[in-house]
Amino acid sequence: MTAAAVIAALAALLLLPLVVAAVRQRTLLAMAVRNIGRRRAEAALVVAGALLGTAIITSSFVVGDIVEGSLADAARTQYGPVDITLTPTEGADLAAVTAAVEAADVDGVDGLLPAITATATLEAPRRDAAVPQVRVTELDIPAARAFGADPDITGLEDSDRLAPGEVLLNERTAGQVDARVGDTVRMHAYGATVDLVVSEVVAEIGLAGYGGAIVAPGTVAGLAESATAPTARPQHHLFVSLDGGVFDTRALSDGVAERLRAAVAGLPDVEVQTPKAGLLDDAARDGAGLTEIFSTIGVFSVLAGILLLVNLFVMLAEERKTEFGMLRAVGFTRRRLTRAFAIEGALYAIVAAALGAVVGVGIGWLVAMVAGPIFGAADGAGYPLVIEPASLALGAGIGLVISLVTIWATSLRIARLNIIRAIRDLPEPRIVRVRARTLLFASAGVLIGAGAGIAGYRADNAIGFLLGVPVAAFSAAPLLRRLLPERTARLLVASTVLAWGLAVRQVFPEIMGAADMVAFVVQGVVLTVGAVSLAASLDRVWTFAVERLGRGGRGLAPRLGIAYPLARRFRTAMLLGMFSLVILTVTMVSAFSAAIEANSDAQVRHIAAGFDLLLDVNPANPVAVETLAARSDVTAVAGLVRGVASFEAAHLDGPRSWPVSGFGPDLLDRGTPGLFSRDEAYASDADAYQAVLDDPTLAIVPEDFLVAGVGDAALAAGDRFTVVEPGSGRRRELTIAGLGEADWLGNGALVNREVTAALFGPDDIVTRSYVAVHADADPADVAASLNAAFLPHGADAHTFTALGAEGVRVMTGFIALLRGFLGFGLLVGIAGLGVVMVRAVRERRQEIGMLRAMGFRKELVRTAMLSEAGLIALQGTVIGAVLGLVTTQQILTGSDSFGDTGMPFIVPWAGLALVVVLPLLAALLATAWPAARAAAIRPAVALRTSD
């Protein structure tokens, strides 16, 4: 059963009794509509508070949908009708492959198109612009127009046949070299140079997007024949189009690929690939990953929204306490009263869910727009708006279910009120003696908590282990009240939960060190619940503060402001929880960002291994290592063979394409690239690298190697995976000797040259070099000099410092995006405080009127209300900030997620100041209007009993 079906079933289960009650007893529905109409402003506030949680939930789904849709759109822009490619890697020629496929008459195949691709350098001398490496496709344009079901998806529907010496550019490539129709561009490949006239510039769609440039048949082949130095060979392909449009061929792809492999099985070394299917799968995986990240982070904001809902409906019920008592007095049963209140709440919830889904679309689109430049969206334009109806329904459904559960819980609480006390608006008596039923449930809760903790410890389940102690501790509260004073029991329980949340990572690193994001959320909730419970129980501290502040006339307003929150501990705890949850998370992501920025230099040193530059060249026109080493400004060069291969692993559903690089001893001459972790068999990082050089069954991979999703565990040192040789399909099993840092360089799996020789055969050519420059030379200047000197070779040199800065920019940019997303949760807390204060003014109307009648000035009332809001916001902010810093320090220095030695912890003082000051100021601003409204209440009007 899908998540949407489960949510729909829960919503129906919660709504059905209310629908039945509204149909059978229309008076209940009429009462609900009447109450909403009488209190339109209050109704709007309730809806506004309820929709915030729904908006956060929906936005997380929308972000994933937008990213997935944008990435999947590459199937249209980069492939069009190209679904499968057949590439002869050794002895077979393209004509034989085409004949074999045609003879097999495979079902589902819609068209075939021979093509040749190569990597070249394009230069526009008159424009002083160049593209170091671009894929050039050689094909027959009339045949390409007829390839597939629709000429429009080829991108060449209006293009003419190319004459020798002409080139067709897509808009992206033309923009990079600033070329126009009629201009001459220079193409460098295979040691030769040819001038080509731009015949047409077309949109980056289909075949026109598969390669940046299209040339006439014979162009690439002619250049390759003139090559004298070792180069990567041109790739001969047979493009295969499947039945259907651009995006709906995924279901056919795997089956047709297997039948095509069978059709060419008699030919030597023909590689059959499904690039479009892989792209669509990657898009779905990346979209789901971002949805999971934002959903998990958004849980804190959603929890804040739930606490706001609880507060709103509790206040709504308390405000109508007298009304409910009168209804019970005239014959309303508890069940009927529960249904009446729940129907009104359900009307709020339905409207809030619908509006929240709409607001969530806007938030999700805004987040995706900000994410576009961070992840290199085309031209920095962000992502187009993609709305999946299922995501909207799921987001609205989850928000509706949360609201309905809150409403039902509040309604059941209302039904227990005492009629006489309700009519007289008297407070509920303090319960001194704990009932036997409560003790029974408390004992069961202690056993459940203990069982969950023990089971989590034995199974290395961080979530169950985390929850065990808090569940047992809070369940034990009624039992402790039989032995200890109530205040002491509360303090003991809260202190135990808080201490557990703070110490669990330190005491049990083997369980918590490898915990996932969900465990992080659970720990944040445990910490917040413990801290808020402790703060709410320290009433004597706040009483002392009241007495101190109450001395003299100036302290009267703060005294009034503090007194009311102390008298409403449950409501105050809900508000503190709203602030603390979100501030804790914002503080943590700020501290993570600061740690990453502070550690960037060390990470650059780790990946540089004593070198200064990284140089990539065109595989069709490479530069010899000896040529680079002979330069006067270069002291050392280490060459790598870099390509792409297919990998298989136990956690993957199928083969995944990933970079692979072969290195030699020269990479270790100036130092050793740092490892994130390594197999225990090796005493040092250098030993691990040397082992890979000596053993072709070993590899060093980045920490994110072959990731399959956010929730899937990455590979660890000692794990095994399989690399598939192109063409032959032979499989080679490799064992991970060590894990490197995040793969900023795109090296992928580092193996010895014997492995890449088997994988790439004649194409086993050095195309990447680590370069060390003279001590008196500026690495940036040398990089520019290399790019200019070796432009025909597609030279693309960057300093490791620049590459590290770009990597840090992406990481910190994403963290900033998360921080901004959490800002919407902070908005929940701030808006929630404002909403609660508005309702508090209404609730305390007569109390404020009495104060005004006794001679208290407007300024005093206003200051008291602001003091109340400031106290709550300040407490919540301080609790969240302190807990966030402590938790971040533990994670950075003791988690497996940051390697064997962890990462230095840096307090982000500037960011922390903003985290503390801005919410406090915003909370005071949100309370300004309710405070002014309270101060403006007329005593004579407020003391009346009418509504």
Side-chain angles (χ1 to χ4, degrees):
M1 184 179 291
T2 64
V6 172
I7 294 299
L10 286 174
L13 183 65
L14 293 168
L15 282 174
L16 184 60
L18 303 181
V19 173
V20 172
V23 171
R24 290 183 176 180
Q25 300 175 331
R26 297 185 179 180
T27 305
L28 301 182
L29 179 60
M31 288 176 57
V33 174
R34 173 180 171 273
N35 282 327
I36 294 173
R38 288 175 57 205
R39 299 175 174 88
R40 293 180 182 178
E42 285 76 3
L45 290 174
V46 173
V47 171
L51 71 82
L52 291 173
T54 303
I56 297 295
I57 296 170
T58 305
S59 64
S60 64
F61 292 120
V62 171
V63 169
D65 289 341
I66 291 175
V67 172
E68 178 182 349
S70 300
L71 296 177
D73 191 56
R76 176 184 66 88
T77 60
Q78 297 180 16
Y79 291 101
V82 180
D83 294 295
I84 300 175
T85 62
L86 284 76
T87 306
T89 59
E90 291 293 342
D93 60 32
L94 198 59
V97 173
T98 304
V101 172
E102 290 175 342
D105 192 22
V106 177
D107 290 339
V109 173
D110 185 52
L112 305 174
L113 179 67
I116 299 175
T117 62
T119 304
T121 300
L122 281 185
E123 179 188 5
R126 293 183 180 179
R127 308 287 185 185
D128 194 24
V131 182
Q133 298 177 39
V134 64
R135 181 157 61 181
V136 177
T137 307
E138 177 182 298
L139 51 76
D140 181 65
I141 287 186
R145 284 201 304 266
F147 178 57
D150 185 359
D152 289 343
I153 65 175
T154 66
L156 304 173
E157 65 276 12
D158 299 322
S159 300
D160 297 325
R161 185 188 302 272
L162 290 172
E166 290 185 335
V167 62
L168 180 149
L169 303 179
N170 65 34
E171 291 175 346
R172 178 190 293 271
T173 305
Q176 290 173 329
V177 295
D178 194 20
R180 301 167 180 81
V181 174
D183 287 354
T184 298
V185 295
R186 189 165 293 164
M187 186 169 76
H188 306 279
Y190 303 105
T193 300
V194 61
D195 287 339
L196 303 171
V197 177
V198 179
S199 66
E200 191 175 355
V201 176
V202 298
E204 188 182 8
I205 297 173
L207 294 167
Y210 188 85
I214 298 177
V215 295
T219 305
V220 171
L223 290 175
E225 290 174 359
S226 65
T228 56
T231 64
R233 301 162 303 167
Q235 296 291 309
H236 294 255
H237 304 287
L238 179 65
F239 294 155
V240 179
S241 177
L242 302 182
D243 293 335
V246 173
F247 299 102
D248 54 5
T249 58
R250 178 64 188 89
L252 291 173
S253 187
D254 292 338
V256 173
E258 287 301 318
R259 292 193 288 273
L260 289 173
R261 289 188 181 97
V264 299
L267 300 175
D269 296 337
V270 178
E271 185 177 14
V272 180
Q273 293 183 316
T274 55
K276 187 194 291 185
L279 184 147
L280 293 174
D281 291 345
D282 288 345
R285 181 170 50 251
D286 291 343
L290 279 181
T291 296
E292 185 173 351
I293 290 174
F294 281 99
S295 297
T296 304
I297 290 294
V299 166
F300 292 97
S301 301
V302 172
L303 289 174
I306 293 173
L307 297 180
L308 173 58
L309 273 177
V310 172
N311 246 345
L312 287 173
F313 284 108
V314 167
M315 293 183 71
L316 191 66
E318 289 181 356
E319 180 187 332
R320 299 187 193 170
K321 193 174 180 180
T322 302
E323 176 187 335
F324 291 149
M326 292 295 296
L327 290 174
R328 290 280 286 121
V330 298
F332 261 60
T333 63
R334 289 184 175 180
R335 181 178 180 182
R336 194 176 184 188
L337 183 62
T338 299
R339 296 290 191 275
F341 186 78
I343 288 172
E344 180 181 346
L347 294 177
Y348 293 135
I350 292 171
V351 175
L355 293 178
V358 175
V359 174
V361 171
I363 295 175
W365 179 75
L366 179 61
V367 170
M369 284 290 292
V370 175
I374 294 174
F375 297 112
D379 303 322
Y383 297 121
L385 180 60
V386 177
I387 301 176
E388 293 289 343
S391 296
L392 292 183
L394 186 59
I398 294 174
L400 179 61
V401 167
I402 291 173
S403 297
L404 289 174
V405 169
T406 305
I407 291 163
W408 273 108
T410 309
S411 301
L412 294 175
R413 181 174 179 268
I414 289 170
R416 298 170 56 188
L417 58 81
N418 179 276
I419 298 176
I420 303 300
R421 283 195 294 270
I423 293 175
R424 295 181 177 180
D425 196 18
L426 299 175
E428 294 294 322
R430 183 178 178 183
I431 298 176
V432 178
R433 186 171 179 273
V434 182
R435 292 178 295 183
R437 183 175 62 182
T438 302
L439 294 176
L440 180 62
F441 283 125
S443 301
V446 172
L447 294 176
I448 292 173
I454 294 172
Y457 178 79
R458 290 180 174 177
D460 285 339
N461 185 306
I463 296 176
F465 187 59
L466 266 171
L467 289 175
V469 170
V471 170
F474 281 112
S475 298
L479 302 174
L480 292 174
R481 286 202 294 269
R482 298 287 296 265
L483 305 174
L484 301 171
E486 181 181 357
R487 180 180 293 104
T488 304
R490 289 201 316 265
L491 289 172
L492 180 61
V493 170
S495 300
T496 300
V497 174
L498 179 60
W500 171 252
L502 291 173
V504 63
R505 283 188 178 272
Q506 303 290 90
V507 179
F508 301 97
E510 68 281 359
I511 297 178
M512 300 303 301
D516 58 12
M517 289 186 65
V518 178
F520 156 70
V521 173
V522 173
Q523 185 182 10
V525 173
V526 169
L527 285 169
T528 303
V529 169
V532 169
S533 299
L534 183 62
S537 300
L538 295 175
D539 47 0
R540 288 187 175 179
V541 174
W542 300 118
T543 301
F544 175 77
V546 168
E547 293 175 353
R548 298 285 295 177
L549 291 172
R551 294 179 181 177
R554 290 191 222 176
L556 186 56
R559 183 177 181 180
L560 291 173
I562 292 174
Y564 192 79
L566 294 180
R568 300 290 191 275
R569 284 192 304 182
F570 175 79
R571 186 180 305 173
T572 303
M574 295 294 102
L575 290 171
L576 284 177
M578 287 164 50
F579 269 90
S580 300
L581 277 171
V582 182
I583 294 295
L584 180 146
T585 322
V586 173
T587 301
M588 289 188 68
V589 296
S590 298
F592 275 121
S593 181
I596 291 172
E597 291 178 348
N599 199 47
S600 61
D601 291 341
Q603 288 182 308
V604 168
R605 289 193 298 270
H606 278 180
I607 64 174
F611 292 90
D612 300 297
L613 307 175
L614 185 73
L615 172 66
D616 288 316
V617 295
N618 182 358
N621 203 18
V623 179
V625 170
E626 295 77 13
T627 303
L628 292 173
R631 286 177 57 97
S632 60
D633 52 2
V634 172
T635 59
V637 179
L640 281 75
V641 174
R642 183 168 175 262
V644 176
S646 293
F647 294 89
E648 297 174 345
H651 67 285
L652 298 178
D653 296 331
R656 288 281 303 280
S657 293
W658 210 273
V660 58
S661 299
F663 71 100
D666 50 2
L667 181 64
L668 309 180
D669 288 344
R670 301 177 62 85
T672 303
L675 292 180
F676 182 77
S677 64
R678 60 178 181 271
D679 194 296
E680 296 178 353
Y682 311 111
S684 66
D685 293 352
D687 290 342
Y689 275 94
Q690 188 60 48
V692 175
L693 285 175
D694 297 336
D695 188 349
T697 67
L698 297 177
I700 288 174
V701 302
E703 57 178 313
D704 56 351
F705 182 65
L706 296 181
V707 292
V710 176
D712 296 319
L715 294 170
D719 289 347
R720 296 182 177 181
F721 62 92
T722 301
V723 59
V724 182
E725 294 183 6
S728 68
R730 287 188 291 270
R731 284 163 170 76
R732 178 186 295 263
E733 188 174 70
L734 301 176
T735 302
I736 298 176
L739 293 174
E741 301 282 354
D743 199 10
W744 294 350
L745 308 180
N747 283 330
L750 284 171
V751 298
N752 73 24
R753 292 288 297 273
E754 180 180 330
V755 176
T756 55
L759 289 175
F760 306 129
D763 295 332
D764 186 49
I765 297 169
V766 172
T767 57
R768 166 165 284 189
S769 298
Y770 283 51
V771 180
V773 305
H774 275 290
D776 57 352
D778 183 359
D781 292 341
V782 176
S785 176
L786 289 172
N787 289 336
F790 298 107
L791 174 62
H793 300 271
D796 189 16
H798 299 277
T799 66
F800 281 106
T801 301
L803 292 170
E806 177 63 18
V808 169
R809 184 195 69 82
V810 173
M811 295 176 68
T812 56
F814 182 68
I815 291 176
L817 185 63
L818 292 179
R819 189 164 55 237
F821 186 71
L822 285 168
F824 291 106
L826 190 57
L827 179 63
V828 173
I830 294 169
L833 181 59
V835 169
V836 169
M837 293 304 294
V838 169
R839 299 206 62 83
V841 170
R842 182 181 183 87
E843 183 183 77
R844 284 183 271 174
R845 190 180 183 88
Q846 290 187 342
E847 175 187 329
I848 294 171
M850 183 66 70
L851 291 174
R852 295 281 288 115
M854 293 169 59
F856 285 80
R857 295 178 300 170
K858 293 181 179 180
E859 292 76 10
L860 181 65
V861 174
R862 184 185 300 109
T863 305
M865 299 291 290
L866 291 173
S867 299
E868 179 178 334
L871 171 69
I872 294 171
L874 181 61
Q875 283 189 81
T877 301
V878 171
I879 288 172
V882 171
L883 293 180
L885 290 175
V886 173
T887 307
T888 306
Q889 189 272 338
Q890 293 179 351
I891 294 175
L892 288 176
T893 58
S895 173
D896 291 347
S897 300
F898 297 95
D900 296 333
T901 59
M903 183 181 292
F905 170 66
I906 305 295
V907 178
W909 292 111
L912 190 61
L914 292 176
V915 167
V916 173
V917 174
L918 287 182
L920 181 59
L921 293 178
L924 293 176
L925 288 175
T927 314
W929 180 72
R933 186 182 177 192
I937 291 176
R938 293 182 179 181
V941 176
L943 292 175
R944 295 174 185 171
T945 57
S946 59
D947 191 10

